[in-house]
Amino acid sequence: DALLDDTSETKPERSIRIASAVKDQRVRVSIKDNGTGIPEDVKARIFEPFFSTKPATGTGLGLGMVAKYVAIYGGELTVNSEPGQWTEFVVALPLARTTDECDEVEPAR
């Protein structure tokens, strides 16, 4: 959404920065934008299934599903944001995991 928001004269050109690192046997991928940020009340609910800030177009399934599958593989998905400034999503996953260590995935309905 950061790239779709109107840019104003007071904000720099919109950008998205992607970075990765390995630390403590985990790979960490960070996606950070310089968009409008996420208000605290929205951030508190952002991973809830069917929660959306776009009632006309969003189903609210995307981030909830991503968080679920990241957790199945032993990882975590976090969001950091400064409203009016930036948002960062961070995915952290173990470097190696066997199939037996993963929680069973329910089939899609």
Side-chain angles (χ1 to χ4, degrees):
D1 292 346
L3 297 179
L4 299 177
D5 290 338
D6 291 335
T7 54
S8 70
E9 294 177 18
T10 60
K11 291 282 287 184
E13 184 176 324
R14 299 288 189 214
S15 67
I16 295 178
R17 180 187 62 95
I18 301 171
S20 63
V22 175
K23 183 179 180 183
D24 299 327
Q25 296 298 304
R26 295 176 78 76
V27 64
R28 180 181 185 272
V29 178
S30 163
I31 300 102
K32 186 174 184 178
D33 69 38
N34 67 342
T36 58
I38 300 173
E40 287 298 320
D41 61 323
V42 173
K43 194 168 94 171
R45 299 187 60 204
I46 203 163
F47 298 117
E48 290 178 18
F50 305 108
F51 176 76
S52 177
T53 59
K54 302 172 224 154
T57 60
T59 62
L61 290 174
L63 286 173
M65 289 187 71
V66 170
K68 176 182 177 178
Y69 284 102
V70 167
I72 286 170
Y73 287 97
E76 61 184 335
L77 173 62
T78 56
V79 61
N80 307 301
S81 185
E82 181 66 41
Q85 300 294 316
W86 54 269
T87 300
E88 175 186 45
F89 286 90
V90 179
V91 178
L93 292 165
L95 284 177
R97 223 175 147 169
T98 66
T99 311
D100 294 338
E101 294 176 303
C102 297
D103 297 330
E104 187 173 321
V105 178
E106 294 181 25
R109 300 190 197 282

